[in-house]
Amino acid sequence: PPGTPMDWKSLSPNEMPYLHGVIYEALRLWPPVPFDTKMAFEDDVLPGGWKVPKFATVAFIPYNMGRDAQRYPEPLNFRPERWIPFNAPPQHEFPVFQ
């Protein structure tokens, strides 16, 4: 409401769901780092079951990941509503904050 002081709680997804959806949708379509690589410092297994040997480099492309039609219906449309109600996506599916 007008005259109410702003604090971090007032910016939460529960208080401002549409703003939160706009931010996530913008990051989905235009990630700050569109292409990234990581190096495994020990043997590992990715969420899809792929084995990654020690010192292997893995490349991933958040720009393409955000346009995956299986994960995001109508992926090229800007639809903040897809994030309401907000359910945090797994980090490996939405890697814009790494």
Side-chain angles (χ1 to χ4, degrees), residues 11-35:
L11 296 174
S12 72
N14 294 335
E15 298 293 321
M16 300 186 97
Y18 199 79
L19 173 63
H20 197 260
V22 166
I23 292 169
Y24 263 76
E25 193 69 353
L27 289 171
R28 177 185 72 82
L29 287 170
W30 303 286
V33 179
F35 179 88

Side-chain angles (χ1 to χ4, degrees), residues 44-86:
D44 203 354
V45 178
L46 295 177
W50 295 284
K51 294 180 181 179
V52 180
K54 184 176 182 176
F55 299 124
T57 300
V58 177
F60 59 99
I61 306 172
Y63 183 87
N64 289 354
M65 293 169 70
R67 287 161 170 74
D68 180 5
Q70 291 180 349
R71 183 160 287 118
Y72 303 105
E74 301 176 27
L76 299 180
N77 292 345
F78 189 84
R79 291 190 20 230
E81 302 82 20
R82 76 175 82 232
W83 299 100
I84 303 170
F86 181 69

